[in-house]
């Protein structure tokens, strides 16, 4: 949600605020340009405090006393960042505390006495001291895909996740992981409980302030359980709502169009359909936009181009169903050994960060209400049988007036068939005649390429497609930034 360059030599300078940035000396802090964020600056006894977030500073300090970073790290209502720049009467230092909720990425790097941070991957990548692959981070990515990890695939580049804090001073960078809060556990329902009503209410409350600020909100509307629940909740909070959906080919697409039409008619939204197959994942890697960042969506171009082509212009807020799958899972607070700590499920946070980039580059603020802490905790408290088989979603949609045919479609609507078709026609050997991944000894391509050739006869498994796509994505990104 911001881009900054702070030189410790400027830490004692008085801040000057303009419409686009906060500056002091040659340093600057530039908030993402959106009507969804508020910026405030406060001078304190030993420096300055800068707040950028969805709403006013939740902990405005009184008098000369500074705010406390840990207060912000535990705040789970608004996405935001609090910066503390000290240097007037103390050794120069910069501290950044992220609130405990949010979905936008924040990449970090430093060079000498200068700190760089940005939601733009390339801003951090271009300012790393040595533009070389981080081999271990690359290997983790190839083995597991995106994860909630600190070190990124370029040496000296890091991620600051929600609920975390970094400190930068003359000794370098240090990070504090999110504290582990108390975890809500499943319980029983009281008599006459109306879980579905409370679920929609909490989802609506998670995005109500964003909708109030938005001039042209849009909701992703695939026809799936998660996006449909978000759309119904959003419609209860605003009478101005646009939508779009990527529609598949064949019998699956015919079914999807009918189901989406039922939902669009129920909600009365301004809808737009876009073909899911026109910009396929592997072919899209040749488009420069798809090598900007590794933390990305494999169907980036159809989503981005659908938003670009929507007849409603000036879109400024997008509502997604990210995090919906995770609401039905158990123990979603757990992390793998190489991941940093957190409370919301790691796949929800990573997916939110991955999808934020394509919308923010179009001036659109992303909101993921199903990943809001209040919604996550509410669903964790539900009995397991109410979450099993997506029963919560099914009951919510049924009580909202959708048909049984909508709830139980004949075909599973997914992207897999299209990806298998593209992989069968793709020349992986030609794309990897030269390979930066192989040159740096990150992995041996021989076995993977042999399996790809063999799959051209027997068919591509989803696992093999994942391996091949992540390899090509890593190749494209490393070629862009590393020598």
């Amino acid at each position: 949600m911001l881009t900054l360059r702070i030189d410790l030599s400027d830490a004692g300078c008085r801040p000057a605020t303009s419409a686009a940035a906060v500056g002091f000396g040659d340093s600057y802090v530039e908030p993402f340009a959106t009507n969804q964020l508020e910026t405030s600056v406060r001078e304190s006894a030993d420096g300055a405090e800068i707040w950028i977030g969805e709403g006013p500073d939740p902990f405005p300090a009184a008098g000369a006393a500074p705010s406390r970073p840990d207060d912000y790290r535990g705040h789970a209502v608004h996405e935001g960042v609090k910066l503390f720049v000290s240097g007037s009467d103390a050794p120069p230092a910069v501290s950044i505390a992220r609130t405990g909720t949010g979905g936008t990425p924040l990449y970090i790097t430093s060079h000498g006495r200068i700190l760089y941070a940005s939601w733009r991957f390339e801003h951090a990548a271009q300012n790393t001291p040595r533009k070389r692959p981080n081999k271990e981070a690359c290997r983790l990515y190839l083995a597991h895909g995106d994860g909630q990890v600190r070190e990124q695939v370029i040496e000296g580049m890091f991620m600051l996740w929600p609920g975390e804090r970094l400190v930068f001073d003359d000794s370098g960078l240090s990070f504090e992981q999110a504290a582990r809060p108390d975890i809500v556990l499943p319980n029983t329902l009281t008599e006459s409980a109306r879980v579905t009503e409370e679920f929609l209410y909490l989802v609506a409350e998670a995005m109500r302030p964003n909708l109030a600020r938005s001039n042209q909100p849009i909701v992703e509307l695939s026809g799936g359980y998660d996006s449909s629940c978000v759309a119904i909740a959003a419609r209860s909070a605003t009478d101005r709502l646009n939508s779009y959906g990527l529609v598949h080919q064949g019998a699956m697409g015919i079914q999807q169009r009918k189901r989406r039409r039922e939902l669009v008619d129920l909600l009365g939204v301004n809808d737009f359909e876009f073909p899911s197959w026109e910009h396929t994942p592997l072919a899209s890697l040749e488009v420069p936009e798809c090598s900007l960042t590794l933390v990305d969506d494999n169907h980036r171009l159809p989503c981005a181009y659908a938003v670009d082509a929507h007849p409603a212009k000036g879109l400024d807020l997008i509502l997604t169903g990210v995090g919906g799958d995770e609401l039905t899972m158990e123990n979603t607070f757990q992390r793998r050994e190489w991941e940093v700590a957190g409370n919301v499920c790691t796949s929800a946070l990573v997916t939110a960060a991955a999808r934020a980039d394509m919308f923010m580059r179009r001036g659109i603020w992303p909101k993921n209400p199903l990943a809001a802490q209040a919604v996550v905790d509410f669903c964790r408290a539900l009995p397991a049988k109410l979450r099993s088989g997506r029963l919560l979603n099914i009951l919510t949609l049924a009580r909202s007036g959708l048909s049984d045919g909508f709830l139980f479609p004949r075909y599973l609507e997914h992207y897999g068939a299209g990806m298998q078709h593209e992989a069968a026609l793709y020349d992986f050997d030609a794309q990897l005649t030269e390979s930066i991944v192989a040159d740096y000894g990150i992995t041996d391509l021989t076995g993977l390429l042999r399996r790809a050739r063999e799959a051209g006869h027997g068919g591509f498994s989803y696992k093999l497609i994942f391996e091949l796509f992540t390899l090509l994505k890593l190749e494209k990104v490393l070629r862009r930034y590393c020598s």
Side-chain angles (χ1 to χ4, degrees):
M1 64 166 51
L2 60 81
T3 296
L4 64 77
R5 175 193 183 276
I6 299 179
D7 190 326
L8 291 178
S9 303
D10 296 329
C13 299
R14 295 193 64 181
T17 305
S18 68
V22 178
F24 39 98
D26 292 327
S27 300
Y28 66 87
V29 179
E30 177 186 87
F32 174 68
T34 175
N35 53 14
Q36 294 295 321
L37 298 179
E38 295 188 24
T39 301
S40 59
V41 181
R42 174 182 178 271
E43 294 186 60
S44 60
D46 81 348
E49 301 177 13
I50 304 169
W51 160 259
I52 302 170
E54 297 175 310
D57 189 331
F59 303 103
S67 303
R68 299 193 314 158
D70 284 351
D71 290 338
Y72 294 89
R73 297 172 63 198
H75 180 73
V77 179
H78 297 125
E79 178 166 3
V81 174
K82 183 68 178 247
L83 284 80
F84 302 83
V85 183
S86 60
S88 299
D89 300 315
V94 180
S95 175
I96 303 178
R98 287 198 68 169
T99 59
T101 190
T104 59
L106 187 55
Y107 303 105
I108 307 293
T109 192
S110 62
H111 192 179
R113 302 188 85 215
I114 302 176
L115 173 69
Y116 300 93
S118 183
W119 62 269
R120 299 182 185 93
F121 188 95
E122 72 272 18
H123 183 273
Q126 291 163 356
N127 286 293
T128 54
R130 296 182 298 179
K131 296 175 178 58
R132 300 191 307 192
N134 180 325
K135 294 182 182 180
E136 185 57 34
C138 289
R139 289 174 183 134
L140 279 175
Y141 173 76
L142 291 175
H144 305 285
D146 291 329
Q148 194 177 347
V149 296
R150 175 79 62 232
E151 295 186 19
Q152 303 300 295
V153 297
I154 297 175
E155 280 190 6
M157 188 171 166
F158 310 95
M159 181 81 91
L160 187 70
W161 294 94
E164 296 192 326
R165 179 191 182 197
L166 74 80
V167 175
F168 177 67
D169 55 24
D170 280 319
S171 63
L173 276 170
S174 61
F175 294 87
E176 295 178 25
Q177 294 191 31
R180 177 138 355 240
D182 293 336
I183 302 299
V184 177
L185 297 176
N187 210 319
T188 58
L189 300 182
T190 61
E191 293 79 1
S192 72
R194 302 288 292 187
V195 169
T196 56
E197 292 179 7
E198 183 68 11
F199 175 60
L200 284 179
Y201 171 77
L202 290 173
V203 175
E205 287 300 294
M207 53 187 164
R208 192 180 298 276
N210 303 89
L211 287 166
R213 291 190 178 93
S214 174
N215 296 314
Q216 282 281 30
I218 185 170
V219 60
E220 293 190 308
L221 201 58
S222 65
Y225 289 154
D226 300 325
S227 66
S228 299
C229 288
V230 170
I232 291 169
R235 192 65 180 84
S236 73
T238 182
D239 57 2
R240 302 172 296 104
L241 192 60
N242 304 288
S243 64
Y244 89 91
L246 302 185
V247 179
H248 303 305
Q249 289 178 298
M252 186 193 305
I254 294 171
Q255 171 190 277
Q256 187 185 11
R257 281 192 173 90
K258 291 178 180 177
R259 294 177 66 254
R260 291 190 73 258
R261 179 48 50 191
E262 180 181 344
L263 184 57
V264 166
D265 289 345
L266 175 70
L267 298 177
V269 292
N270 177 26
D271 187 54
F272 180 70
E273 291 185 352
F274 195 86
S276 67
W277 66 89
E278 276 197 3
H279 306 279
T280 51
L282 294 170
S284 294
L285 292 176
E286 301 305 313
V287 179
E289 179 177 343
C290 292
S291 61
L292 285 167
T293 173
L294 195 69
V295 185
D296 207 353
D297 189 287
N298 59 17
H299 280 79
R300 178 187 182 114
L301 288 191
C303 295
Y305 289 171
V307 168
D308 290 343
H310 199 288
K313 302 306 176 185
L315 298 170
D316 55 8
L317 173 69
I318 190 160
L319 309 170
T320 84
V322 167
D325 288 343
E326 291 79 1
L327 296 178
T328 68
M329 300 175 184
E330 303 293 334
N331 302 322
T332 54
F333 52 86
Q334 294 179 350
R335 294 296 189 272
R336 294 172 290 190
E337 61 269 19
W338 61 85
E339 293 177 321
V340 300
N343 187 13
V344 175
C345 186
T346 182
S347 59
L349 288 174
V350 170
T351 303
R355 305 196 74 242
D357 184 88
M358 61 180 161
F359 300 124
M360 293 177 73
R361 290 182 191 273
R362 289 162 168 80
I364 302 172
W365 182 251
K367 188 68 177 179
N368 312 292
L370 299 184
Q373 192 65 59
V375 177
V376 171
D377 285 345
F378 173 76
C379 291
R380 283 177 176 167
L382 296 176
K385 62 183 179 182
L386 192 51
R387 285 179 275 119
S388 177
R390 311 302 293 274
L391 183 58
L392 173 63
N393 305 78
I394 292 170
L395 289 174
T396 299
L397 297 174
R399 288 173 174 166
S400 298
L402 289 161
S403 69
D404 297 340
F406 182 97
L407 299 175
F408 302 102
R410 289 186 299 153
Y411 298 107
L412 177 64
E413 297 165 5
H414 63 95
Y415 296 93
M419 297 177 74
Q420 286 176 319
H421 177 72
E422 183 187 23
L425 303 176
Y426 197 81
D427 190 343
F428 293 97
D429 288 308
Q431 291 295 320
L432 294 163
T433 302
E434 295 181 1
S435 170
I436 191 171
V437 171
D439 290 346
Y440 274 89
I442 294 168
T443 191
D444 181 7
L445 305 184
T446 306
L448 181 58
L449 290 175
R450 175 183 51 78
R451 289 161 55 207
R453 290 191 293 272
E454 292 172 350
H457 172 70
F460 283 78
S461 68
Y462 293 144
K463 180 178 183 297
L464 180 56
I465 292 172
F466 166 82
E467 291 181 67
L468 290 163
F469 181 84
T470 53
L471 173 64
L472 287 172
K473 182 73 169 181
L474 180 62
E475 273 285 333
K476 295 294 183 182
V477 172
L478 292 182
R479 288 179 192 177
R480 185 172 189 133
Y481 299 114
C482 297
S483 55

